[in-house]
Every structure is written in structure tokens, then in C-alpha cells.
Amino acid sequence: MEALAFLAQETADQKAAFAALGAGFAYGLAAIGPGIGIGYLVGKSVEAMARQPEAAGMVRTTMFLGIAFTEALALIGFVVFILIGL
Amino acid sequence: MLALEFPPINEILRWRDLFPTFNKIAIVAVLATLISIVIFLLASRQDGLKAPKGVRNFAETIVEFIEQQIIMPTMGKHGLGWTPWFLSTFLFIYLCNLPGVIPILQMPATARIAIPMFLSLLVWLTFIGTGFKHQGPAYIKNSLFPPGVPGPLYILVAPIEFISTFLVRPFSLTVRLFANMLAGHILLVTFALLTNELITSDSIALKPVAILPFFMLVFLTAFEVLVGFLQAYIFTVLAAVYIGGAAHPEH
């Protein structure tokens, strides 16, 4: 009986450990792509604004739109992190 | 060493209910509505012909911001009739985000999924309604079958367009606002806890280290003000893009 209880406890612990591990990986992996993407996007936007300052307003709006779409992936990863990790 | 334990998620997102079903989130949302109503009522009292001052100055700045920065780049001149709609959406979201950094309140109302979800449902219904109003039943055809695609490819394109226009848009609007505010809130909680834990720790060597998470906390608070504004702006701009796109189909 005692051994069974111990085993059940062990399984629960393992489950929690794997959930924490999975949560960490989920967020870490989800952050890679958007990180690269947003860096590239903003870098190019700054380049565009420096070349043509009079178009800065338009570039800025489009840049924020692009950031919003790129960032969504990282945020979904973050939500998954919350769902399985906590 | 440190007995740092992160509180369960419910504890940092849920305040004591004032009375059943009315908690801090509801207070923040009601306050946001009341404050924006009061600002514009006060502003409309003043004589429009004289030079604006006080609260009217503020109100005019916001209206101009909405017109010049949100509507003009996305919908163009014919979208200016939508100003009140975007103005109220923007102000409501901004005033819901801001309490995340206001002491005592310390909770952005948009960090619970209900408010972002209903806001994006509102946007969803509005852009579909606008599409039907401006294009009639052809709106479905125009949005599922974009022009300029070779015939057989429509078998692939139509389902993708359906998913991205009618399913992913409200979902991503919701998740973007919700997750940004929740992430900010959790970051602030983390650094506040860390500071507190280091200051109250037993070992004297650890106490001065508390200055590091404290600086991070101050920096993140300033960052959250920016994020709150940016998310309200992005939500409104995306709503404008969706509604503008529904009103005028691609050719």
C-alpha cells in the first residue's frame, strides 16, 4: 500500500516536472522566431525612415502593424506557457 | 537562502470581490468608461470658437491623434466618420491598460481575457457588418475569392482566406491585447516579489542586492506605460484596417 502511494506521489511529481519543462521550452522556442522577425522588421523600418524621413509616418504605422502580426506568435507561446506551466 | 515562491496565478489576477461578480477588474472597466465620458462631456461644454484650454485641449489632442495617426493612414479620408467609434475603443482600452502601473489599483483590466474578447468580438461584428452594408452578399465572395489568383488555386485560397479573415482575426486581436497585458503584469509581480524577498532576507549580504530588481521594477513600470499605450494603438489600428478593408474591397 505504502509503495503504491509512493509511486502515485512519484508520478505526480514527474508530471509537474515535465509540465514545467514543457512550459519553459514552449515559451523559449516561441520567442526565437518573433525575436528575429521583429528585429529584422524594425531594422529595415529604421533604414527606410533614415533614407526617406518624409515617409516616416507611413513607415511607422506599417511597422507597428507588422510588429503586431509578428508578435502574435510569441504571445501565443506565452499563453501556452501560462496554460501548462501554472 | 531565499524562500522565493511565486503565488498561484489566481492570487495575482484576482482581487477580493467587493460583492459577488463585482471585483477590481469591473471597477477598473467602469472607471475607464466614466472617466472617458466625463472628459468629453466637460470638453464639449466649452465654446468651440474660442482657443481651447484645459480639458478641451486634451480632448482635441486625442481626437486629432485618432484622426491623423489611426484613421488617415489606414482608411483614408472617407473613414473620418468612424472617429467616435475608434476614439471610444482607444480610450477605453488605454484607460483599462493604465491601472497596471497605478499604485493601489495595480491591475490592468485587459489582463483578464473577458474584456479583450468582447472588444474583439465587437470589432469582428463591426467589420462583417460593414462589409455586408457596403458590398451586400458579395462581401463573402470578395473576401473568400480575392482577385488576381489563377482559377484552380481558389480551392486552396478560399479556405485559407476564410480561416484568416473570420477565425484568426478575432482570436489574434484577443490574444495580443490579453497576453501583452498579462505578461507585463506578471513581470511586475516577479520583480516586486524579488525585491521584497531580498530586502526582508535574513543575511545582511543579500539586502543591498535588492537594488538591482528594484531598478528593473522602475524600468518595467515605465515600459508598461509605453506598452499600454502601444497595445491600445495597435488594437485600434488593426480594427481600422479590418473595417477599412471590409468597406472597400480589393480590386
Side-chain angles (χ1 to χ4, degrees), chain B residues 49-225:
Chain B
L49 295 173
K50 285 178 194 156
K53 61 172 196 263
V55 71
R56 190 182 172 98
N57 225 336
F58 177 66
E60 284 190 2
T61 315
I62 303 177
V63 172
E64 202 177 302
F65 168 74
I66 301 285
E67 284 183 346
Q68 299 302 321
Q69 303 292 322
I70 291 180
I71 295 180
M72 286 308 276
T74 55
M75 293 171 83
K77 229 179 231 157
H78 49 76
L80 285 179
W82 282 91
T83 309
W85 199 94
F86 291 120
L87 182 66
S88 34
T89 317
F90 175 82
L91 260 187
F92 180 70
I93 298 175
Y94 183 55
L95 290 177
C96 277
N97 288 346
L98 207 56
V101 292
I102 296 177
I104 301 166
L105 281 173
Q106 298 280 35
M107 174 77 214
T110 38
R112 301 296 298 266
I113 206 164
I115 289 178
M117 196 172 76
F118 274 90
L119 282 168
S120 27
L121 275 182
L122 185 67
V123 172
W124 188 66
L125 288 177
T126 312
F127 83 74
I128 290 180
T130 316
F132 276 113
K133 192 181 152 209
H134 282 259
Q135 303 173 36
Y139 170 58
I140 296 289
K141 189 191 133 274
N142 288 342
S143 53
L144 291 191
F145 301 97
V149 181
L153 272 185
Y154 278 122
I155 305 167
L156 278 174
V157 170
I160 293 176
E161 283 290 320
F162 175 76
I163 292 173
S164 76
T165 308
F166 296 108
L167 302 180
V168 171
R169 274 181 184 184
F171 175 74
S172 68
L173 269 183
T174 311
V175 170
R176 183 174 303 116
L177 182 56
F178 158 71
N180 259 301
M181 298 323 291
L182 179 64
H185 188 60
I186 290 179
L187 270 178
L188 288 181
V189 171
T190 311
F191 281 98
L193 270 177
L194 197 56
T195 314
N196 181 41
E197 197 69 33
L198 284 169
I199 285 181
T200 55
S201 68
D202 298 327
S203 91
I204 199 84
L206 277 178
K207 283 182 197 277
V209 186
I211 197 79
L212 295 174
F214 180 72
F215 272 132
M216 197 64 191
L217 186 61
V218 173
F219 168 74
L220 277 176
T221 305
F223 184 66
E224 276 307 299
V225 178

Side-chain angles (χ1 to χ4, degrees), chain A residues 64-65 68 71 75 78 86, chain B residues 9 176 180 230 233-234 238:
Chain A
F64 280 129
L65 275 181
E71 189 191 41
L75 292 173
F78 173 73
L86 290 168
Chain B
I9 191 95
R176 183 174 303 116
N180 259 301
L230 209 60
Y233 171 71
I234 283 176
L238 283 175

Side-chain angles (χ1 to χ4, degrees), chain A residues 3-67:
Chain A
L4 270 183
F6 176 74
L7 266 182
Q9 180 60 35
E10 189 88 316
T11 332
D13 281 353
Q14 258 179 16
K15 228 174 160 181
F18 275 116
L21 202 63
F25 272 116
Y27 181 64
L29 291 176
I32 297 176
I36 297 172
I38 292 177
Y40 192 71
L41 203 160
V42 177
K44 281 283 178 193
S45 307
V46 171
E47 201 179 302
M49 286 187 221
R51 281 183 185 211
Q52 205 154 2
E54 61 268 32
M58 219 173 68
V59 172
R60 197 175 299 120
T61 310
T62 321
M63 181 185 81
F64 280 129
L65 275 181
I67 290 178

